[in-house]
Amino acid sequence: MKALERLQVHNIKPSMQRIAIMDYLLENYTHPAVDEIYTALFPKIPTLSKTTVYNTLKLFEEHDAIKMLTIDDKNTCFDIDTSPHAHFFCKKCNKIEDFNLMKPEQLKGLDQSNHLVTEVHLYYKGVCQECLRSEE
Amino acid sequence: MKALERLQVHNIKPSMQRIAIMDYLLENYTHPAVDEIYTALFPKIPTLSKTTVYNTLKLFEEHDAIKMLTIDDKNTCFDIDTSPHAHFFCKKCNKIEDFNLMKPEQLKGLDQSNHLVTEVHLYYKGVCQECLRSEE
DNA sequence: GTACGTGCAAAGAATTTGCAGATAA
DNA sequence: TTATCTGCAAATTCTTTGCACGTAC
């Protein structure tokens, strides 16, 4: 899917910067943080500012075009794949990879992809009962 | 389990501050962030500094006495329960609750605890194949 | 006395905000 | 025109670092 098309599908008004950022996300499945995107695009768009990257990613997320990942406590990362899937975070090189859901016996220890899995984190997000009530 | 005992089990040399912080974690299953712990303990220990809270939590984590949670991108939280379990993060009040593992049909939508689950995040952490090789 | 623990102040890094100029419908 | 988009600079927040003092064995 082309960047422009994807913006339109999610009701995001296109601009040069937005297309470039969406394009980067579509071409690079590296779950990039703000700085990676900024550094990659700056040579092509020398007027680009980090503020715009922040603004744009926030906008994309609000329109459900991307998903925010809070795996790495140093950097917020973004995923163009919004469907439910798991991730693997290497605590040494800090890279995030997509990961197939694993069977319980594969958790912890060495899995078939030869990564050493030491931690499993499962989070749900949403709105709790109390907050739902107070919204009425 | 008493705080002192838990420190000893994990080979952490006790001190007044360490006991107080461990005690707070054992008494409050709120998955507190640094600031919550600091604010709660400061009245009792007026000389306490945030640096010490940071140092202590880092030390606890290194000794596997607590687990760091990177759910909320604003605040790193800590969990005294190091066994594998799921969490629920309310995007409105920012509270983190323990959550039983849910069946797939309960994911997304309203579960039996009446929280509105809108996102499911599953992360694995560890060391990737490349980094394992370069360690040899 | 030596090693370790604590805490201040400063530095550093990630992110947000305010605002003014640029751009587009 | 009129609303929206962009980007600079400053502010804010979270976290780390350097260092000196204090404490304990």
Side-chain angles (χ1 to χ4, degrees):
Chain A
M1 199 196 271
K2 278 273 188 62
L4 177 61
E5 196 185 332
R6 193 167 171 103
L7 292 177
Q8 287 163 344
V9 165
H10 291 279
N11 276 305
I12 299 162
K13 212 188 279 185
S15 76
M16 203 185 76
Q17 289 85 343
R18 289 173 184 181
I19 291 170
I21 292 169
M22 182 57 82
D23 204 51
Y24 184 83
L25 288 165
L26 288 168
E27 300 286 327
N28 301 274
Y29 279 70
T30 51
H31 310 89
V34 168
D35 198 64
E36 179 182 332
I37 298 172
Y38 173 76
T39 305
L41 297 182
F42 186 75
K44 293 174 208 159
I45 312 170
T47 61
L48 185 68
S49 86
K50 265 192 190 173
T51 305
T52 299
V53 181
Y54 276 106
N55 288 340
T56 303
L57 291 170
K58 197 183 170 189
L59 184 80
F60 286 2
E61 209 216 356
E62 285 164 358
H63 287 251
D64 295 316
I66 60 173
K67 214 168 165 187
M68 191 198 276
L69 302 181
T70 44
I71 301 179
D72 181 356
D73 61 313
K74 304 291 173 200
N75 287 81
T76 305
C77 298
F78 297 90
D79 196 344
I80 189 75
D81 182 356
T82 56
S83 68
H85 62 286
H87 294 103
F88 177 80
F89 175 73
C90 177
K91 298 175 94 170
K92 214 177 167 204
C93 64
N94 299 338
K95 276 204 289 273
I96 296 172
E97 298 179 19
D98 282 344
F99 220 52
N100 291 323
L101 295 178
M102 291 169 72
K103 297 174 198 102
E105 65 268 24
Q106 293 169 324
L107 304 178
K108 300 250 176 189
L110 224 50
D111 76 301
Q112 75 265 65
S113 70
N114 290 323
H115 293 338
L116 176 68
V117 175
T118 55
E119 297 173 34
V120 185
H121 295 260
L122 178 56
Y123 305 154
Y124 302 95
K125 294 191 183 185
V127 184
C128 72
Q129 205 180 357
E130 272 178 56
C131 288
L132 283 172
R133 278 206 196 110
S134 67
E135 261 176 358
E136 286 162 15
Chain B
M1 200 195 270
K2 279 273 187 63
L4 177 61
E5 196 185 333
R6 193 167 170 104
L7 292 178
Q8 287 164 344
V9 164
H10 291 278
N11 277 305
I12 299 162
K13 212 187 281 183
S15 77
M16 204 185 74
Q17 289 85 341
R18 290 173 183 179
I19 291 169
I21 292 169
M22 182 56 83
D23 205 50
Y24 184 83
L25 289 165
L26 287 168
E27 300 286 327
N28 301 275
Y29 278 70
T30 52
H31 311 89
V34 168
D35 198 63
E36 178 182 333
I37 298 173
Y38 174 74
T39 306
L41 297 182
F42 185 75
K44 293 174 210 159
I45 311 169
T47 60
L48 185 67
S49 87
K50 266 193 189 171
T51 305
T52 299
V53 181
Y54 276 105
N55 288 341
T56 304
L57 291 170
K58 196 182 171 189
L59 184 80
F60 286 3
E61 210 216 354
E62 285 163 359
H63 287 250
D64 296 315
I66 61 173
K67 214 169 163 185
M68 191 196 278
L69 302 181
T70 44
I71 301 179
D72 181 356
D73 61 313
K74 304 290 172 201
N75 287 82
T76 305
C77 298
F78 297 89
D79 195 344
I80 188 77
D81 181 356
T82 56
S83 68
H85 62 286
H87 294 103
F88 177 81
F89 174 72
C90 178
K91 298 175 95 171
K92 214 176 165 204
C93 64
N94 298 339
K95 276 203 289 273
I96 297 172
E97 298 178 19
D98 282 345
F99 219 52
N100 291 323
L101 295 178
M102 292 169 70
K103 296 173 197 102
E105 65 268 25
Q106 293 168 323
L107 304 178
K108 299 248 178 191
L110 224 51
D111 77 301
Q112 74 265 65
S113 69
N114 290 322
H115 295 337
L116 177 69
V117 175
T118 56
E119 296 172 34
V120 185
H121 295 259
L122 179 56
Y123 305 154
Y124 302 94
K125 295 191 181 184
V127 184
C128 73
Q129 205 180 356
E130 272 179 56
C131 288
L132 282 172
R133 279 207 196 108
S134 67
E135 260 176 0
E136 285 162 15

